[in-house]
Amino acid sequence: MAKNATANLRKLPSVDEVLRTVNAGDAVKRFGRAAVVGAVRRVIAASRANGGIPSEPDEVTSGALALLQAQEKPKLRPVFNLTGTVLHTNLGRAVLAESAIEAAVTAMRSAMALEFDLEGGRRGERDDHLRGLLCELTGAEDATVVNNNAAAVLIVLNTLAHRRETIVSRGELIEIGGAFRMPEIMSRAGTKLVEVGTTNRTHKGDYVGAIGAKTGIIFKVHTSNYRIEGFTKEVGARELATLASERKIPMVHDLGSGTLVDLAQFGLAHEPTVAEAIADGADVVTFSGDKLLGGPQAGFIVGRKDLIAAINRNPMKRALRLDKMRIAAIEATLKLYRDPDRLAQRLPTVRLLSLSRSAIEACSRRLLSDVQAAVGPLFSVEVTACESQIGSGALPLVTVPSAGLAIRSLSARGAGRLLKRLAEGLRDLDIPVVGRIEEQALVLDLRCLDDERAFVRNLKSLDLSEKSNESA
């Protein structure tokens, strides 16, 4: 055995031998010489560790080409989001409107007047592209924008309450994704947290008792990602704004997800709009761009002109600013809100959330036979009713009636393992398909399926033969 292994190792070709093959020459034209040489060396090293197999130059070339092709695939890939969560944080949240995509592409391809005043021929401000729209849509005196809502909260606290106190209800000390907690961002912002009330009940008197000479702001956090029910009490935004005004202290309202329209018109529960928060008297309102608003990732800050000016003077603002692509996409997205009657037609987030269950059921029936053919005889496929979620912390208790396909194993033995393998196979497709496993079924909620033909074409490359045989 040792002699055979030694003989195989001696047969391993050199890098130069491999590079002289025709296929290696083609690979060099496609990937470049340095990349091909590196891949060839990796394959030869793996062959050496494997006892000298494979040993032919063409075999080494094939292995190197496979490595290079795998490396060429982008890490960030499109997927079919069939999870039932419309604004899925792990899948990129909001899908942009076509007008926003076109605007971003134009910005990528061209030099843009990002910080250049074309009328005056002098330096301008990048926020000017969005300020007017944001003020128009929210009723605020002024507006600015940073790279996400966490950044918006951070810079507001750092500007208005640095080395001072921030009063907030205990019931509003939220944690968002990735163990990102409000008390910790307050600490990083350089403000001292003053908690008032209890987890479930906070009264106006709690705020009054906490106000002192070192109070910087009164902070209200809209608990968009959870609800406390039962024996509860909170001080409303309007009442809190009145108290803050009487004491000449800024009141900041973080809406989290944030929406510019009343979602009730689309059959969803009412969520406080930014305009309502401004009308209630908040001095500053912060909210997200890539959640209910349906745009790219951004954090909006709107409110009193003097406070926005102070925020813009904070050196942190430069570190948190947006690039030209996102500004272009945001501008195009905000313009859609000028025509609310056609918003559901043009903005994917609103359109997907307002789809009826009957329309999604019809789509499920159309795709039933194609999906059954793709998954094969080891599985059954049936149309099923399900409940979609909005996602990204928005309206956490609200689900939207939906429909999809439930795929179940026909084998009682190893059913869970078969479903897991099927889920893996779907994720291995050219365009990965992401569903959810529940109640011993792989459920594909079709609410977010935009292109049925592309989905069916994609399924044709699903190969479960090996995996199914292993599991049988």
Side-chain angles (χ1 to χ4, degrees):
M1 294 288 291
K3 288 182 179 180
N4 289 337
T6 301
N8 287 334
L9 288 173
R10 288 174 179 167
K11 293 179 182 178
L12 281 173
S14 67
V15 173
D16 285 340
E17 284 182 271
V18 175
L19 291 177
R20 285 196 293 268
T21 64
V22 174
N23 289 338
D26 292 340
V28 168
K29 291 178 182 177
R30 178 176 172 186
F31 298 104
R33 183 178 177 82
V36 174
V37 169
V40 168
R41 284 175 174 163
R42 285 176 60 189
V43 173
I44 291 175
S47 298
R48 186 173 289 111
N50 196 33
I53 301 171
S55 60
E56 295 298 321
D58 281 332
E59 292 177 312
V60 174
T61 303
S62 296
L65 187 58
L67 283 176
L68 293 167
Q69 288 171 336
Q71 291 172 353
E72 192 178 47
K73 287 184 178 180
K75 293 293 183 183
L76 186 61
R77 296 168 60 192
V79 303
F80 284 108
N81 174 16
L82 306 187
T83 62
T85 302
V86 176
L87 298 171
H88 200 301
T89 297
N90 298 340
L91 300 181
R93 293 183 177 165
V95 175
L96 299 190
E98 285 302 316
S99 59
I101 294 168
E102 292 170 5
V105 169
T106 298
M108 283 187 271
R109 285 180 172 157
S110 308
M112 305 291 285
L114 180 62
E115 292 184 352
F116 186 77
D117 181 354
L118 291 171
E119 291 184 6
R122 56 184 179 271
R123 184 183 179 90
E125 293 184 15
R126 63 182 65 198
D127 282 358
D128 287 346
H129 303 288
L130 304 176
R131 180 179 289 112
L133 277 166
L134 285 167
C135 292
E136 173 190 334
L137 295 169
T138 66
E141 291 180 5
D142 203 355
T144 189
V145 60
V146 289
N147 64 350
N148 64 18
N149 192 50
V153 171
L154 177 67
I155 195 171
V156 167
L157 292 171
N158 182 259
T159 303
L160 305 182
H162 186 245
R163 295 181 179 176
R164 297 178 67 79
E165 295 175 348
T166 295
I167 301 174
V168 63
S169 168
R170 281 191 177 89
E172 297 173 4
L173 292 175
I174 63 170
E175 176 181 315
I176 57 177
F180 186 92
R181 296 178 173 181
M182 191 59 73
E184 292 171 359
I185 195 172
M186 289 185 177
S187 175
R188 293 288 183 177
T191 184
K192 181 181 179 181
L193 168 63
V194 177
E195 303 176 32
V196 297
T198 62
T199 302
N200 62 318
R201 291 180 71 81
T202 302
H203 303 271
K204 179 181 177 181
D206 296 321
Y207 289 96
V208 173
I211 294 174
K214 292 185 176 181
T215 301
I217 62 173
I218 296 175
F219 192 41
K220 183 165 185 62
V221 181
H222 175 53
T223 55
S224 62
N225 63 349
Y226 76 98
R227 291 287 186 272
I228 298 175
E229 296 185 333
F231 188 58
T232 63
K233 168 70 176 175
E234 69 170 313
V235 182
R238 185 181 294 273
E239 187 177 5
L240 205 55
T242 300
L243 172 63
S245 178
E246 291 171 353
R247 299 302 180 93
K248 295 182 170 49
I249 300 168
M251 188 277 229
V252 176
H253 194 169
D254 173 33
L255 285 180
S257 291
T259 179
L260 296 177
V261 294
D262 184 358
L263 297 176
Q265 63 184 294
F266 305 110
L268 302 171
H270 176 75
E271 180 82 346
T273 68
V274 181
E276 288 171 349
I278 290 294
D280 282 341
D283 296 293
V284 172
V285 178
T286 60
F287 58 103
S288 295
D290 58 343
K291 296 182 181 179
L292 289 173
L293 192 140
Q297 179 180 295
F300 298 107
I301 308 168
V302 300
R304 269 172 41 190
K305 198 172 190 65
D306 60 325
L307 299 181
I308 298 298
I311 291 165
N312 281 329
R313 289 194 298 268
N314 190 321
M316 194 181 291
K317 176 70 188 324
R318 183 176 179 86
L320 303 176
R321 68 184 183 179
L322 299 183
D323 61 24
K324 62 177 182 176
M325 285 81 77
R326 273 199 281 177
I327 288 175
I330 290 168
E331 180 185 15
T333 302
L334 292 175
K335 285 180 177 178
L336 297 178
Y337 282 89
R338 285 175 160 169
D339 186 3
D341 293 337
R342 289 188 288 179
L343 190 63
Q345 300 170 34
R346 297 176 173 182
L347 192 65
T349 295
V350 174
R351 176 172 53 78
L352 294 175
L353 287 173
S354 59
L355 281 174
S356 67
R357 173 176 277 175
S358 60
I360 305 171
E361 280 180 349
C363 171
S364 303
R365 287 192 292 271
R366 288 193 298 271
L367 294 175
L368 179 61
S369 60
D370 290 303
V371 173
Q372 181 67 77
V375 300
L378 289 177
F379 300 95
S380 67
V381 185
E382 63 180 358
V383 175
T384 185
C386 47
E387 297 291 327
S388 298
Q389 295 179 323
I390 295 172
S392 293
L395 296 169
L397 299 184
V398 176
T399 58
V400 186
S402 188
L405 297 171
I407 307 173
R408 292 181 172 85
S409 169
L410 292 175
S411 171
R413 183 182 176 184
R417 188 166 64 253
L418 276 170
L419 281 178
K420 182 180 177 183
R421 298 280 184 139
L422 174 60
E424 291 171 351
L426 289 170
R427 295 197 304 272
D428 282 341
L429 292 171
D430 290 338
I431 304 177
V433 174
V434 185
R436 67 177 188 269
I437 294 179
E438 63 181 24
E439 298 180 359
Q440 298 183 321
L442 176 59
V443 177
L444 305 179
D445 186 319
L446 300 182
R447 174 171 292 279
C448 295
L449 180 62
D450 259 346
D451 192 335
E452 294 180 31
R453 291 183 179 180
F455 177 68
V456 171
R457 285 196 304 270
N458 189 55
L459 281 180
K460 289 180 180 178
S461 62
L462 181 65
D463 182 5
L464 299 175
S465 55
E466 274 187 40
K467 296 176 180 179
S468 298
N469 289 336
E470 290 172 9
S471 305

